[in-house]
Amino acid sequence: MPDPFGFRFWLGWILGFAGCFVVSAGLWTLFLTWSFGKIDGAELTLAWSVAVFGTWFLFLAPFMRKKERIWKRLNSDQEKAADLWLFGMAFYIGILIVSSIGWCCFFRSGLHRTSGGLYGPWIKAVLATWLLALIPFLIVMYRKADVLFREAHKRQTTRGPAFKSVFVEKKTRLLPQAIADKIAAFPEMLENGRIVTLQLKDGREIEHVFVLNSREIIGLYGRAQMDFNTVDVTEVRDVAVETLPAYDETQWLRLDGRVV
């Protein structure tokens, strides 16, 4: 099975990053040229730079979220925190873009009066607008972050295990030795643990089987019960970590009866 997140996938992302920058630069060049005739002077050049790189970041935010979902490094609480951080950065940058270009329009007649450096009233107005807009925003963000932290802490410290656990005798969960020998050659995902797909005599495939020490089935993902016999296993296939579904603890069925 080809890797869906292989070289072509990441090459497409790199080209997408470059394309977003080109589109951002082109759109802002057209807009500022249409608004001011040409982009010259320190103020307009700085406004153009802030707008281009800021918009590029906004374009990249969905890519960054998708990357984390592919790598599956974040739990649900961390996902919410990442979304809040990206929203905050987008607002932070958006205010700077709006204030830079907005005050360029307001001070249009005075931008080229200075022979060097920035036009004083413009830079003061941009920074003041930006900082004043950030005060209520930071208050809101702090409150949202505090609520997120409290909810995560409460959920993680008070709830019991979300996965299901049943007891199946160990001898019933042991795979044939020939299958175990094949599994032993697969790379480990965790210490002494591997996730595999089992093929049965009747043609069924049992996906996402967690095997401990190459032979003992310790759990199943996405199944309500162990509805097969290990003696019926005829073949085994390794599972690449990139192809695993997003982890949902409620889909995990533990077979040794333990809840911790």
Side-chain angles (χ1 to χ4, degrees):
M1 180 179 178
D3 182 1
F5 304 122
F7 174 76
R8 289 186 178 181
F9 177 82
W10 293 109
L11 178 61
W13 271 37
I14 293 171
L15 295 177
F17 295 160
C20 286
F21 182 80
V22 172
V23 170
S24 175
L27 290 177
W28 282 114
T29 299
L30 289 174
F31 175 78
L32 292 177
T33 301
W34 174 77
S35 300
F36 298 95
K38 63 178 180 177
I39 303 173
D40 63 352
E43 298 82 11
L44 281 176
T45 301
L46 182 58
W48 179 89
S49 301
V50 169
V52 169
F53 284 97
T55 306
W56 186 42
F57 175 85
L58 299 182
F59 280 148
L60 294 188
F63 286 94
M64 290 187 282
R65 291 299 294 116
K66 178 66 175 177
K67 173 179 67 66
E68 291 300 331
R69 293 190 177 101
I70 291 172
W71 287 354
K72 303 179 183 69
R73 298 187 302 182
L74 306 180
N75 59 33
S76 59
D77 295 322
Q78 292 169 332
E79 290 273 356
K80 292 178 182 178
D83 288 337
L84 185 62
W85 182 84
L86 286 173
F87 170 79
M89 290 300 296
F91 183 87
Y92 184 78
I93 293 172
I95 289 294
L96 184 58
I97 294 173
V98 171
S99 62
S100 298
I101 296 177
W103 286 113
C104 278
C105 295
F106 184 82
F107 290 114
R108 181 191 301 265
S109 61
L111 293 183
H112 305 299
R113 290 179 181 176
T114 55
S115 58
L118 295 170
Y119 181 52
W122 177 83
I123 189 63
K124 292 176 182 178
V126 169
L127 293 178
T129 304
W130 187 38
L131 293 174
L132 289 175
L134 287 182
I135 293 174
F137 167 73
L138 290 175
I139 294 173
V140 172
M141 285 291 290
Y142 173 79
R143 289 180 175 176
K144 286 185 174 293
D146 184 61
V147 170
L148 179 63
F149 172 78
R150 291 179 183 274
E151 289 179 349
H153 182 266
K154 181 179 180 181
R155 182 167 54 255
Q156 294 175 8
T157 56
T158 60
R159 72 175 178 89
F163 64 85
K164 292 170 286 188
S165 181
V166 297
F167 177 72
V168 179
E169 290 188 10
K170 183 174 181 179
K171 64 180 182 180
T172 306
R173 296 185 280 111
L174 293 178
L175 292 164
Q177 188 59 51
I179 299 297
D181 292 340
K182 291 183 178 181
I183 294 176
F186 297 160
E188 295 182 351
M189 284 195 180
L190 299 171
E191 185 177 359
N192 297 324
R194 299 168 177 85
I195 296 178
V196 301
T197 296
L198 301 177
Q199 178 101 32
L200 305 183
K201 290 179 181 178
D202 58 10
R204 286 189 297 157
E205 285 192 344
I206 310 299
E207 297 183 324
H208 308 133
V209 180
F210 185 75
V211 179
L212 185 66
N213 296 322
S214 304
R215 193 177 182 194
E216 179 187 356
I217 298 177
I218 201 71
L220 304 171
Y221 189 82
R223 306 187 75 85
Q225 59 182 340
M226 183 176 175
D227 55 353
F228 63 93
N229 295 318
T230 55
V231 294
D232 294 330
V233 177
T234 59
E235 191 55 76
V236 62
R237 188 171 68 251
D238 188 21
V239 176
V241 65
E242 296 85 2
T243 64
L244 293 175
Y247 181 69
D248 179 358
E249 189 176 357
T250 61
Q251 296 297 310
W252 168 249
L253 174 65
R254 188 159 183 166
L255 301 176
D256 60 358
R258 298 178 61 181
V259 294
V260 294

